Amino acid sequence: MSVRAVLRMGDERLQQVAEPVRDFGGEELRELLRNMRDTMEALSGVGLAAPQIGVGLRVVIFGAPPDRNNGQNPRYPDAGAVPYTVLINPVVTPLGEQYEEGWEGCLSLPGLRGVVPRFLHVRYQGHDEYGALIDRTVSGFHARVVQHECDHLDGILYPMRMTDMSRFGYTAELFPGRETQEE
Ligand code: NI
């Protein structure tokens, strides 16, 4: 296991614009992905971006690990619908103007949740860890996760996308008695 410390909001490395990956074959990328996956799984995250562990590269991972909790993530019970994905140098294109509000958390803001408007439908393109092309059109929670993770690559954290700060707070107060929502 190579679980890394996740940087928290306020660390300036989370606000920087990450650099594209140019070398797909290297051990460096493989090690980064291993560390990201171990870290995300250890914290029951649904996604993680490389800048969150202090690496300024355009790499995100997301999805619910199929081998744990019957595909269910304790923090996000809906996450089973999102396949585990490594996405490098992503481009996210909104499809249509429709957006949806939903609760989000972030491993860089432990213990907090907020309602964030996101595009309902998006297309995302990028590369997997071998350099193969990924091109998907997704909706709802899957689209939300992709938008959240890719925002990290441009130094954007979800509170910066919020429009109603009255729906931002500590999970324990917002959802009392809901153990599944704990960090
Ligand atoms: Ni996040």
Side-chain angles (χ1 to χ4, degrees), residues 151-164:
D151 264 357
H152 277 294
L153 306 179
D154 293 321
I156 298 167
L157 298 166
Y158 77 81
M160 295 154 78
R161 294 286 193 196
M162 290 182 64
T163 53
D164 178 1

Side-chain angles (χ1 to χ4, degrees), residues 24 29 33 58-62 82-93 122-138 142 146 150:
F24 281 89
L29 180 62
L33 289 168
R58 303 189 79 79
V59 177
V60 302
I61 63 172
F62 51 85
V82 183
Y84 180 76
T85 301
V86 170
L87 185 62
I88 299 170
N89 300 345
V91 176
V92 180
T93 311
V122 301
R123 175 185 185 185
Y124 64 92
Q125 296 157 288
H127 298 272
D128 70 10
E129 65 262 57
Y130 310 107
L133 281 170
I134 292 174
D135 188 344
R136 290 181 185 153
T137 297
V138 299
H142 191 157
V146 171
C150 293

Side-chain angles (χ1 to χ4, degrees), residues 35-149:
N35 295 342
M36 286 175 70
R37 186 167 188 160
D38 286 349
T39 303
M40 184 176 89
E41 290 187 2
L43 299 173
S44 297
V46 138
L48 189 72
Q52 290 182 277
I53 57 165
V55 176
L57 288 172
R58 303 189 79 79
V59 177
V60 302
I61 63 172
F62 51 85
D67 52 336
R68 296 173 69 227
N69 309 305
N70 302 315
Q72 294 256 302
N73 183 294
R75 289 175 78 233
Y76 295 93
D78 297 336
V82 183
Y84 180 76
T85 301
V86 170
L87 185 62
I88 299 170
N89 300 345
V91 176
V92 180
T93 311
L95 301 175
E97 304 283 303
Q98 238 183 319
Y99 68 88
E100 181 174 69
E101 294 187 323
W103 287 98
E104 290 185 21
C106 179
L107 296 175
S108 294
L109 289 85
L112 293 163
R113 285 287 186 285
V115 170
V116 186
R118 298 285 187 187
F119 287 104
L120 186 56
H121 307 288
V122 301
R123 175 185 185 185
Y124 64 92
Q125 296 157 288
H127 298 272
D128 70 10
E129 65 262 57
Y130 310 107
L133 281 170
I134 292 174
D135 188 344
R136 290 181 185 153
T137 297
V138 299
S139 300
F141 186 74
H142 191 157
R144 173 173 300 279
V145 170
V146 171
Q147 290 169 83
H148 175 118
E149 295 314 324

